[in-house]
Amino acid sequence: MQNEQVFSVQGDAELIARAGHLFASAQSEFLCAARDLKTWSQPEARAAIRNRMRTANSSDFASRKLLSPVALAHEEDRAHLRLVQSKGALVRISGSQLPHETILIDRRVMILAGRETPTGREYTVTTSPILVDGVHSLFRAIWDSAFDLDTYLRSDIPHLDADGRLILNALGSGLTDESAAQRLGVSLRTYRRRVAELMAKLEANSRFQAGLRAGESGLSR
């Protein structure tokens, strides 16, 4: 892909068939920005970059993952990111709105993921220097203001237990307090007490604010 190119493909299989070799070709830098860990589903691409990282020296290869708080909604996701970090990747969490996925390879190739459709996700691949450099600059600007994974996990963002998540889901269901309490099998008084406890944990002054706070922290997923 020495000449400037822009093309789109439909679905993970077509992306791997036409551009899968690009992942293994990474020589100096692999940057990834995404909302969560479920955007990228093709195991071949994951394996290619893992193999590249195994053979790369930390001094000459940089792998960076920039994610939103949604990526920390579940303990297994947090464990996965800790593992990725232990293998040499740098992981940061940003409160800025991030795309479904953007991948930059050696500042020469960019892969943009679109929304999921019934026929698969659409991807756009480009080697346009103007486009790649522009998005690379945006990535670094957000990266510089983001928190590293360990710092973010030590922050005051709460992790809800099973009961807390049930209450949060009940608040988002639109049910009356009476109906929500009945669904959860608790008394109305107990339900309202748990709602108050949840609001205190989320440092929210209203139920609406509690929902916003949970969404911002990825707790509503």
Side-chain angles (χ1 to χ4, degrees), residues 42-115:
Q42 190 60 235
E44 290 89 343
R46 294 179 185 273
I49 192 59
R50 282 199 303 268
N51 291 336
R52 172 66 190 117
M53 289 184 64
R54 288 194 190 101
T55 60
N57 295 320
S58 59
S59 60
D60 63 11
F61 187 79
S63 177
R64 293 181 171 89
K65 293 184 73 69
L66 181 63
L67 300 160
S68 75
V70 174
L72 306 177
H74 303 289
E75 180 56 39
E76 59 267 27
D77 293 337
R78 296 192 290 272
H80 172 74
L81 288 175
R82 292 189 188 99
L83 177 62
V84 167
Q85 188 173 247
S86 72
K87 300 297 184 180
L90 300 177
V91 181
R92 289 193 180 184
I93 307 299
S94 172
S96 301
Q97 186 172 1
L98 297 175
H100 290 279
E101 182 139 357
T102 301
I103 289 174
L104 294 157
I105 301 172
D106 293 343
R107 204 163 181 171
R108 59 182 172 81
V109 178
M110 178 171 62
I111 301 173
L112 302 176
R115 293 182 179 276

Side-chain angles (χ1 to χ4, degrees), residues 9-46:
V9 296
Q10 194 74 28
D12 292 348
E14 186 178 355
L15 175 64
I16 293 301
R18 293 193 61 185
H21 63 284
L22 296 172
F23 293 89
S25 73
Q27 296 296 315
S28 61
E29 186 179 61
F30 184 88
L31 309 181
C32 174
R35 292 185 65 252
D36 53 49
L37 300 180
K38 298 175 178 61
T39 305
W40 189 253
S41 60
Q42 190 60 235
E44 290 89 343
R46 294 179 185 273

